[in-house]
Amino acid sequence: MKAVVCRSPGELVLEDRPAPGAPPAGWALVAVSHVGICGTDYHIFEGKHPFLAYPRIMGHEVSGTVVETGEDVDLAVGEPVIINPYLACGKCIACRHGKPNCCVRIEVLGVHRDGAMAEQILVPAQNLYPANGLSLADAAAVEFLAIGAHAVRRARAEPGARTLVIGAGPIGLGAALFARIAGLDVSLLDMSTERLDFAKGELGFATLDGSQKAAAELVRKATGGEGFDVVFDATGNTASVQSAFAHVAHGGTLVLVSVVKDDIVFSDPEFHKREMTLIGSRNALKVDFDHVAASIRNGAVPLAKLVTHRTTLAGTPDDLARWAHEKSGLIKAVIEVG
């Protein structure tokens, strides 16, 4: 089969790879249809991912069609599916408590093991969700949106809560969209005027332009000095995460959607004075995938606006390398494989 392989940082090639073969019991062989390109993929290509062994087939935002099943699999051949790329052990403390998204021994397709930038892939059947009427192009967007949907569900905010999403990239936009679907009053903060123009003009969000004024001043003005009830940080930037604590109102909640390699330092007196809730949000659960799929079906998610770039498997080595540096106009890129 054809596969796009990142051999080493900066080296991305289209190769012939052995087909995965027949699926074992509990697994299914999937013909890949569409793959979204994530910020993680750009980081892998650029050599910025701290826990990755090369060579690696990337790709974890995936849709496809079941072509063969192993024993004890209740999926029909020909079934269009959404792939949940988080492979959990099923036995650790997180899995036993119904949180396979933060499994102690989690393996993410395209990161810890080879992913879906290929014509076929083997996946545990429990990680395959019927698309139930979603187009395969739309089904490939479910995973990245589920990250934001999971973060919003973790926040447990009441409708009407004054909410700030920091970072207007794909994950931040997903969090903002699902915060709005949950009835929250959402504003977006970013340093990119282009991204904020998109968020405001195309998606209808209130925006705070961090390139024009200090974020603290913008937050004070937007909230009458009170801060936001809920703040989501989706920047992956250490300085942004640390400054986000000051944007939270007394009694409010900070949700860390992105992850950084550095230690996070904050003022303990300020944290306690506000009786702030700090929440980590990692990956997503089936309930989040289901919520996203339903929201796409009912028209609450404007996917046609979010997917701005497209390529093919053969075009991916050149296009992904270019998009890693040319970000203008780029929100979400998708590879059309099938």
Side-chain angles (χ1 to χ4, degrees):
M1 67 174 182
K2 296 293 184 182
V4 172
V5 182
C6 192
R7 290 177 175 170
S8 61
E11 185 182 9
L12 199 61
V13 297
L14 184 69
E15 286 186 358
D16 286 311
R17 283 289 188 97
W27 290 58
L29 178 64
V30 176
V32 177
S33 176
H34 290 74
V35 182
I37 301 176
C38 174
T40 298
D41 300 319
Y42 295 119
H43 290 157
I44 293 170
F45 170 73
E46 293 170 327
K48 297 178 181 179
H49 199 287
F51 307 116
L52 187 119
Y54 297 89
R56 177 64 71 226
I57 299 174
M58 300 181 294
H60 60 272
E61 302 175 5
V62 197
S63 67
T65 303
V66 176
V67 294
E68 187 178 351
T69 61
E71 295 180 6
D72 303 319
V73 173
D74 189 21
L75 284 167
V77 171
E79 179 87 66
V81 290
I82 302 159
I83 294 180
N84 178 336
Y86 322 128
L87 277 58
C89 73
K91 299 176 182 179
C92 72
I93 186 169
C95 290
R96 296 197 309 271
H97 289 155
K99 294 180 66 69
N101 61 304
C102 58
C103 168
V104 172
R105 290 176 286 277
I106 198 167
E107 290 188 299
V108 180
L109 296 177
V111 181
H112 304 98
R113 61 163 64 198
D114 281 342
M117 290 187 190
E119 292 177 314
Q120 294 184 329
I121 188 170
L122 284 172
V123 184
Q126 65 185 12
N127 288 70
L128 300 176
Y129 309 146
N132 288 335
L134 280 187
S135 71
L136 285 168
D138 287 353
V142 171
E143 189 273 342
F144 94 84
L145 291 167
I147 301 293
H150 182 72
V152 171
R153 190 168 58 83
R154 292 271 291 147
R156 298 181 179 179
E158 295 292 332
R162 194 158 49 188
T163 300
L164 179 67
V165 177
I166 309 172
I171 299 300
L173 291 173
L177 285 165
F178 281 90
R180 185 164 66 187
I181 288 169
L184 311 187
D185 180 12
V186 184
S187 298
L188 272 159
L189 169 65
D190 202 282
M191 297 292 290
S192 168
T193 300
E194 180 184 38
R195 284 185 173 182
L196 292 176
D197 287 345
F198 175 86
K200 183 176 182 179
E202 297 295 329
L203 303 179
F205 286 109
T207 58
L208 306 179
D209 190 345
S211 71
Q212 300 299 312
K213 292 183 180 180
E217 181 180 348
L218 293 169
V219 169
R220 280 196 300 270
K221 184 176 180 181
T223 64
E226 291 183 330
F228 285 89
D229 301 313
V230 187
V231 176
F232 297 90
D233 191 286
T235 63
N237 179 279
T238 302
S240 175
V241 172
Q242 293 185 160
S243 65
F245 284 79
H247 305 331
V248 181
H250 280 238
T253 299
L254 174 59
V255 184
L256 303 185
V257 189
S258 60
V259 61
V260 298
K261 292 187 292 183
D262 305 309
D263 292 339
I264 299 300
V265 179
F266 60 91
S267 167
D268 187 61
E270 283 294 324
F271 180 78
H272 276 81
K273 182 174 72 175
R274 299 170 195 228
E275 198 180 52
M276 188 189 305
T277 300
L278 177 62
I279 296 175
S281 183
R282 186 182 186 191
N283 298 328
L285 292 168
K286 185 178 186 297
V287 64
D288 305 306
F289 280 76
D290 291 344
H291 178 38
V292 170
S295 298
I296 295 173
R297 290 189 199 96
N298 68 25
V301 180
L303 271 184
K305 295 179 179 180
L306 295 176
V307 178
T308 56
H309 292 53
R310 291 176 173 81
T311 188
T312 62
L313 203 61
T316 296
D318 289 337
D319 289 336
L320 191 151
R322 184 173 73 257
W323 295 334
H325 305 288
E326 296 179 8
K327 300 294 188 184
S328 181
L330 174 64
I331 302 296
K332 172 58 64 175
V334 174
I335 304 167
E336 298 173 346
V337 178

